[in-house]
Amino acid sequence: MKKARLTQTAAAPDASTAMAQWMERLEQFRQTLDPFGIAASFRQVADGWLANPEKLAEQLAQLTRDMQALQLNAWQAAAGLKPEPLVKARPDDERFADPAWSEVPAFAALKQYYLLYTRWLEDVLFDAPDTPAKERRHAAFWARQWLDAVAPNNYLFTNPVALRKFHETSGESLIRGLKLWLEDLRNNDVQMVDRSAFEVGRNLATTPGSVVFRNELMELIQYAPATPEVHALPIVIVPPWINKYYILDLNEKKSMMRYLVAQGFTVFVVSWRNPTAALANTTFDDYLMQGLHAAIDNARAICGVPQVHAVGYCIGGTALAALMAWYNREHADAADVPVAHWTLLTTLTDFSRPGAVEVFLNEETINSLDQMMARQGYLDGRDMARSFRMLRPNSLIWHYVVHGYLYGESPPPFDVLYWNTDVTRMPRAMHAYYLREFYLHNRLIRKDGLTLAGHPIDLGRIRQPLYAVGCEEDHIAPWKATFRIAAHLNVPVQYTLSSSGHILGIINPPVTPPKRSFWTGPADGKSPDEWKHDLRETAGSWWEHWSGVLAEQCGPRVPARSPGDAAHPVLGPAPGLYVHEI
């Protein structure tokens, strides 16, 4: 008996371990099937409605009434009458812009049925009772992916434009579309742009300059002066590392670099390396110290000045905000901080409501990304690009499917889209840290919530004035979220809101007549809506206003500086080597 009891006792841990392993494999299998936690969100929405059957009955009854009214409208149209459409597409919805969607009864009815059900279902998901708002938004986002995919314009026999082109070209449009589809299959992606029309260094990234510093993470480019004299303090620009830097130097007419040097500034920019698995263990601290800190220190040394003006764009701006807090923890005297004043472009520091991208940011998704990055050492930029395209699937996915495969139209040559497809990778350690600590746990805005390069950081310690720019139609860094940095700083913040989105709102050179507009003023404790309401909209580019502020901040004019110096010899011409890595 004693021996039997000992055997049972010894076996118990084995059974417990086996059960734990089985549960772990089950969770891995669930994550493989549903890495974004979609089923859990829909389950919570369904539970919310099932717990409120009277409200659910009201919603279903309303849908039935609307369907009946729409059926009567369709019968009237079929009989030759001209009834007013009950459901109209939004003016900016190009899917149904062709007159056939309104003038041909069958297509008009199909469009209205689709729009009615789409809007009803989205409302039901958004308004689910007793359900957390984040789960409602999550479910609505994934439902919208399906609804956009089944839109009638995406299919040959329910798209009047595709049928007309097929008839007019005797089927040639569909043959061309088939060729484009086969080409996209080979590339494993829906192509958005004619990539053969562009080459970095030939017709992109052509502002004259030189690489004056290089390490394993970045190259530092200094641009050649365009004026006999320049302002004393140089400008150091930190672009995001999720794409290549030359979005800020597209061509002669759309280059922030060329504009700034023409205004008499010495300009440096960081060109990030495209990391491979060899850099899998590179940390966020490494990006701060070997990237931003090294760029600022080398620019100071080359120009022989104690301070610079620093600019951060998107994630580069988030890192710059963290570095500014680190600098102000490192240096007791504000005059010893290497950055005298700074600019943030479409930058999130408070991630409590990060915009549409939050649908990809939960524990399940990040766990799945961790496993994938652990296998390959990085996050492939193509995976991230696909995720961002899903934020606007009609304009960034289905538009190209329809125009390519159904209409037989080759993708256009467009420099911004070329840059957008020139993707980069994210090192495993850095990206996992960034997603968890910034997006998931929102620790950047907490006092001493993060310890970076040996220092606990606090945005409230920053003593240097800030010029911040948001974009009115930004879905990646919503302007009201970027505006919130003012609440976490104890320094003057000049906030500027540009019309347009995350890219075109920033790449916004002065043109005549002006294409865009902006609002600017101190962020002095008002809500974003109150702030905007109290300001006058100004036609034109915010670059001109910003340049005036920089001219005051960056000091008197000194003789122009050629790239590099004796201690920093020129390593090669811009755009350098790292920008060409694929």
Side-chain angles (χ1 to χ4, degrees), residues 17-95:
T17 300
M19 178 61 72
Q21 291 173 344
W22 184 82
M23 292 298 291
E24 182 179 352
R25 286 195 294 270
L26 183 63
E27 175 63 15
Q28 290 173 351
F29 180 68
R30 186 200 65 76
Q31 288 185 7
T32 300
L33 291 178
D34 185 15
F36 299 110
I38 302 171
S41 294
F42 278 103
R43 185 172 59 249
Q44 291 193 49
V45 168
D47 290 345
W49 279 114
L50 292 174
N52 294 269
E54 291 184 0
K55 292 182 178 180
L56 178 59
E58 290 175 6
Q59 290 286 344
L60 292 172
Q62 183 61 51
L63 177 63
T64 301
R65 289 191 293 270
D66 291 341
M67 286 287 191
Q68 290 172 340
L70 193 53
Q71 183 64 59
L72 178 59
N73 184 273
W75 286 338
Q76 291 172 335
L81 302 176
K82 300 290 185 181
E84 278 293 312
L86 298 181
V87 186
K88 296 182 180 180
R90 289 187 294 270
D92 61 345
D93 191 345
E94 69 160 19
R95 296 177 297 175

Side-chain angles (χ1 to χ4, degrees), residues 458-465 485-493:
D458 175 14
L459 297 180
R461 290 194 184 99
I462 296 174
R463 291 162 287 181
Q464 293 72 32
I485 189 172
H488 302 289
L489 299 179
N490 298 312
V491 296
V493 177

Side-chain angles (χ1 to χ4, degrees), residues 209-223 236 268-273 286-302 563-565 567-578:
S210 303
V211 176
V212 293
F213 176 79
R214 180 185 293 125
N215 62 24
E216 67 174 5
L217 276 185
M218 65 88 176
E219 291 179 325
L220 183 64
I221 296 171
Q222 181 182 356
Y223 289 97
V236 179
F268 295 81
V269 69
V270 171
S271 175
W272 296 104
R273 189 168 198 175
D286 294 329
Y287 270 74
L288 281 189
M289 296 295 107
Q290 297 179 42
L292 282 73
H293 182 46
I296 290 168
D297 272 1
N298 280 279
R300 292 164 59 214
I302 290 171
D565 63 8
H568 301 82
V570 168
L571 303 179
L577 301 179
Y578 286 173

Side-chain angles (χ1 to χ4, degrees), residues 69-71 73-78 81-89 95-96 98-116 152 157-160:
L70 193 53
Q71 183 64 59
N73 184 273
W75 286 338
Q76 291 172 335
L81 302 176
K82 300 290 185 181
E84 278 293 312
L86 298 181
V87 186
K88 296 182 180 180
R95 296 177 297 175
F96 305 108
D98 190 88
W101 287 107
S102 302
E103 296 171 0
V104 180
F107 287 117
L110 180 62
K111 175 192 73 175
Q112 291 185 83
Y113 275 117
Y114 169 77
L115 292 175
L116 173 64
F157 293 107
T158 53
N159 185 322

Side-chain angles (χ1 to χ4, degrees), residues 349-352 442-450 458-459 484 488:
T349 50
D350 182 343
F351 292 80
S352 56
N442 197 21
R443 290 202 169 108
L444 180 58
I445 60 168
R446 300 183 194 175
K447 182 178 181 179
D448 299 335
L450 292 174
D458 175 14
L459 297 180
R484 285 200 287 266
H488 302 289

